[in-house]
Amino acid sequence: MATAAQAYDRTDTAGQDAYERAFDAAVAADERIEPRDWMPDAYRATLVRQIAQHAHSEIIGMQPEANWITRAPSLRRKAILMAKVQDEAGHGLYLYSAAETLGTGRDELLDKLHSGRQKYSSIFNYPTLTWADVGAIGWLVDGAAITNQVPLCRCSYGPYARAMVRICKEESFHQRQGYELLLALSKGTPEQHAMAQDAVDRWWWPSLMMFGPPDDESSHSAQSMAWKIKRHSNDELRQRFVDICVPQAESLGLTLPDPDLKWNEERGHHDFGPIDWTEFWDVLKGNGPCNEQRITQRRCAHEEGAWVREAAAAYAAKHGNGTGEQQA
Amino acid sequence: MTADVTLDATTRTAALALGDDALVLSHRLGEWAGHAPVLEEEVALANIALDLLGQARVLLSMVGDEDELAYLREERAFRNLQLVEQPNGDFAHTIARQLYFSTYQHLLYAELAAGQGPFAPLAAKAVKEVAYHRDHAEQWTLRLGDGTDESRERMRRACGALWRFTGEMFQPVEGLDVDGTALEAAWLASVTAVLDRATLTVPEGPRTGAWAAGAGRQGLHTESFGRMLAEMQHLHRSHPGASW
């Protein structure tokens, strides 16, 4: 689709303006920008930041759920959970590949994750304390992720948009499984019902925070929307999510922990209570319940695996049949 | 799912042994989630764990209710090999365990798939999965054995440490109609060839006898197994009679 935004010839400095005009025209015409197309440096940097953060979130996001694989209460649930965590690793791989089309490398990105120079979604800094948390993550966290990510399937950068199409299909499946897990608990014994309610009580507000700060405090939003990386504002998506969740909570037989939550006939939306942004910024700064634990586990897995990656690289060098991708 | 009443008692004994192998190894591999050395291995180890769990569910359902069998039996009632219950250790230990077991399982399932017995349908499907597990283990054995000095030493140690658990695989299992001697010969030839290519030697030391392991099939397990079951069964046991 590199029609309007032509391949970039770095020797042609006089043509810069023309490239920029072609890029703007391609974005305006809803065409996809592809890896070999010219793009503004800031557009490239924004995408690297966003896609990397997204990839990191998939990888760190494996931890809270993997925490329950060995304790899953039935073999069917265990299989579903294992498959889900495996999908997340796969999503991380798609996304690192998408980021690599922008001229960065997976090793470099992982390095930035491990050293705290790049972030991941703040939601994964909350602990999974009971089995019901696995369901709440599926229903609410994956639900919020899908609300955020479906518009990204139309994002202006082709490789990211195509990764999102594949990821969203699997995420929707996970979300339904999470809902179904909570439904089984909600309709189960009184203890199971209480476990489900407690999980929803703990995950509801953090899920709303996944949409990011309010529109007037979101530093990247305006530019991302102009570039059609983002299609909707944080607050718009958050409202859409709340409107979707309220009837779902009702059919689950569970309540949402917000006394201010009520239908507003005039707006055609649900009103909801204030979000504790102090907590949000605190978690983002590294002071959430599991920030330290999550990053330490990731770093340990990487460091303890170094000898394995070195072995694979040494073997490939000796035998010439490795891809070289696993070099440390 | 309930037991197939057309199966005789000895077939059910064998199904329990094979099902427990798959269940327990799947559980151990599940412990790797989020800890693997590269992302590709997160996918691969989970994939193998899922295949094994799928096999376990079919096999246990031939015996009775899969969840009752997995979650409500105590250590002494499990019939898995001691090999599969061994803790993950480092990546080399996991790969050595996987090499020993998947080579055995692949040879076993290939034979069962070719026959007419009650395990033929399961084996026909599973043998394709297990061929992949075996290839994965062999490829990593080569890379670790013939990689760096450190990886070679770790792989050597792992192969040696698990060696004494390998004799048990070839003891006769009631209801399992295979030639254990031929199976053992084929297994030994294959493992020897892979270790040789990996610049490693076949470990010395006994594989059967008083100080070698070999009583998992009789419900005698190693110490770490009870702890593994405690973790696996805790939630299910805390809510008697609940559905999930």
Side-chain angles (χ1 to χ4, degrees):
Chain A
M1 294 287 278
T3 46
Q6 292 149 19
Y8 181 35
D9 176 2
R10 283 195 176 274
T11 59
D12 180 11
T13 45
Q16 280 282 357
D17 287 352
Y19 286 123
E20 196 142 3
R21 278 197 301 277
F23 173 84
D24 290 342
V27 170
D30 269 339
E31 282 178 36
R32 290 279 164 80
I33 306 300
E34 296 297 338
R36 289 168 187 276
D37 294 339
W38 183 90
M39 62 188 84
D41 290 344
Y43 176 84
R44 186 184 299 273
T46 296
L47 276 169
V48 168
R49 181 180 52 78
Q50 185 174 336
I51 300 173
Q53 182 168 327
H54 194 161
H56 299 333
S57 302
E58 297 282 357
I59 301 309
I60 297 286
M62 294 168 70
Q63 290 183 30
E65 293 177 285
N67 181 37
W68 281 92
I69 286 179
T70 53
R71 291 175 289 170
S74 74
L75 297 186
R76 175 171 163 265
R77 292 291 177 198
K78 188 171 182 164
I80 290 171
L81 184 56
M82 270 188 188
K84 183 182 179 189
V85 174
Q86 183 193 26
D87 282 348
E88 281 158 4
H91 296 171
L93 285 169
Y94 294 159
L95 288 162
Y96 285 124
S97 298
E100 285 180 332
T101 65
L102 291 160
T104 180
R106 197 211 297 183
D107 292 343
E108 190 188 331
L109 297 176
L110 282 175
D111 223 43
K112 287 182 175 160
L113 168 64
H114 298 154
S115 60
R117 280 174 294 157
Q118 282 178 344
K119 294 192 189 311
Y120 55 88
S121 177
S122 63
I123 193 80
F124 300 119
N125 292 314
Y126 289 88
T128 46
L129 301 177
T130 72
W131 170 250
D133 290 34
V134 171
I137 288 181
W139 176 44
L140 294 173
V141 175
D142 293 341
I146 293 163
T147 308
N148 253 330
Q149 291 170 10
V150 164
L152 288 173
C153 298
R154 294 185 294 125
C155 145
S156 60
Y157 188 58
Y160 192 26
R162 288 189 289 275
M164 291 321 305
V165 171
R166 297 178 65 174
I167 290 171
C168 283
K169 279 182 196 160
E170 292 180 344
E171 293 289 4
S172 313
F173 192 58
H174 298 162
Q175 200 253 352
R176 280 205 298 278
Q177 288 170 329
Y179 178 89
E180 196 253 333
L181 191 164
L182 280 183
L183 189 64
L185 294 180
S186 180
K187 289 184 184 289
T189 65
E191 291 80 9
Q192 286 176 306
H193 182 91
M195 193 193 278
Q197 183 62 60
D198 168 62
V200 169
D201 289 348
R202 282 181 289 109
W203 287 92
W204 172 248
W205 291 108
S207 300
L208 292 191
M209 295 177 196
M210 284 176 69
F211 296 92
D215 292 348
D216 50 13
E217 287 174 47
S218 177
S219 49
H220 303 292
S221 274
Q223 183 60 74
S224 286
M225 284 176 77
W227 277 329
K228 294 191 182 169
I229 295 173
K230 260 183 104 135
R231 297 276 179 161
H232 309 279
S233 80
N234 294 352
D235 287 334
E236 269 170 48
L237 291 170
R238 189 167 10 246
Q239 180 69 62
R240 185 180 297 181
F241 178 67
V242 171
D243 290 339
I244 291 169
C245 286
V246 170
Q248 290 183 348
E250 268 168 37
S251 57
L252 277 170
L254 298 170
T255 58
L256 296 169
D258 180 358
D260 298 331
L261 190 64
K262 62 172 184 298
W263 177 251
N264 182 326
E265 190 65 50
E266 206 174 306
R267 293 202 305 124
H269 290 292
H270 292 87
D271 290 336
F272 55 95
I275 290 171
D276 181 356
W277 292 111
T278 316
E279 174 181 322
F280 173 76
W281 292 114
D282 230 31
V283 175
L284 216 63
K285 267 183 251 158
N287 301 322
C290 298
N291 298 59
E292 185 63 34
Q293 175 188 333
R294 299 288 186 242
I295 207 71
T296 300
Q297 181 181 324
R298 183 83 266 293
R299 221 184 275 139
C300 282
H302 191 74
E303 282 165 12
E304 284 165 16
W307 69 272
V308 177
R309 297 189 299 276
E310 284 158 16
Y315 182 87
K318 276 186 237 181
H319 297 272
N321 58 354
T323 59
E325 281 176 3
Q326 294 186 335
Q327 285 175 16
Chain B
M1 286 186 266
T2 49
D4 184 342
V5 288
T6 61
L7 292 177
D8 58 38
T10 56
T11 302
R12 294 218 295 275
T13 302
L16 198 60
L18 299 182
D20 284 351
D21 284 350
L23 178 72
V24 170
L25 185 55
S26 166
H27 185 93
R28 283 298 190 204
L29 291 173
E31 293 173 356
W32 269 103
H35 298 274
V38 278
L39 292 177
E40 285 81 355
E41 280 306 296
E42 294 284 1
V43 178
L45 296 172
N47 199 31
I48 296 169
L50 268 171
D51 286 344
L52 290 167
L53 185 53
Q55 294 164 16
R57 296 181 66 190
V58 173
L59 286 158
L60 294 182
S61 297
M62 291 168 76
V63 182
D65 178 274
E66 60 176 30
D67 286 336
E68 261 179 54
L69 288 164
Y71 292 101
L72 299 176
R73 275 182 297 157
E74 297 190 354
E75 292 94 309
R76 294 282 283 107
F78 274 81
R79 292 290 178 264
N80 56 283
L81 298 164
Q82 290 184 354
L83 175 66
V84 296
E85 77 201 29
Q86 294 311 303
N88 288 334
D90 67 3
F91 190 67
H93 265 80
T94 291
I95 291 300
R97 187 182 63 197
Q98 210 59 33
L99 175 73
Y100 292 159
F101 182 75
S102 61
T103 304
Y104 154 77
Q105 202 192 17
H106 186 236
L107 292 166
L108 175 69
Y109 279 12
E111 190 174 337
L112 293 174
Q116 301 293 321
F119 298 110
L122 162 94
K125 178 176 180 289
V127 75
K128 294 174 201 150
E129 298 166 349
V130 178
Y132 161 79
H133 306 171
R134 181 180 178 175
D135 183 53
H136 173 265
E138 290 182 357
Q139 293 300 324
W140 271 115
T141 302
L142 297 180
R143 276 155 186 75
L144 299 182
D146 193 14
T148 63
D149 288 345
E150 182 185 5
S151 69
R152 184 169 189 281
E153 176 54 20
R154 284 182 186 251
M155 196 63 207
R156 189 193 65 76
R157 239 181 306 167
C159 288
L162 294 169
W163 187 247
R164 68 198 196 90
F165 297 104
T166 57
E168 190 185 5
M169 294 188 284
F170 310 104
Q171 292 173 1
V173 176
E174 212 187 347
L176 202 57
D177 183 24
V178 288
D179 179 350
T181 314
L183 191 64
E184 181 161 19
W187 180 87
L188 198 56
S190 172
V191 166
T192 303
V194 174
L195 291 181
D196 189 51
R197 280 183 65 203
T199 75
L200 297 165
T201 49
V202 175
E204 290 169 10
R207 298 169 55 231
T208 51
W211 292 103
R217 296 275 188 245
Q218 286 79 53
L220 292 168
H221 293 278
T222 50
E223 285 183 345
S224 67
F225 185 56
R227 199 164 285 110
M228 191 205 100
L229 281 190
E231 182 172 345
M232 182 172 110
Q233 297 181 337
H234 149 257
L235 178 59
H236 186 97
R237 284 183 183 273
S238 301
H239 296 263
S243 322
W244 300 94

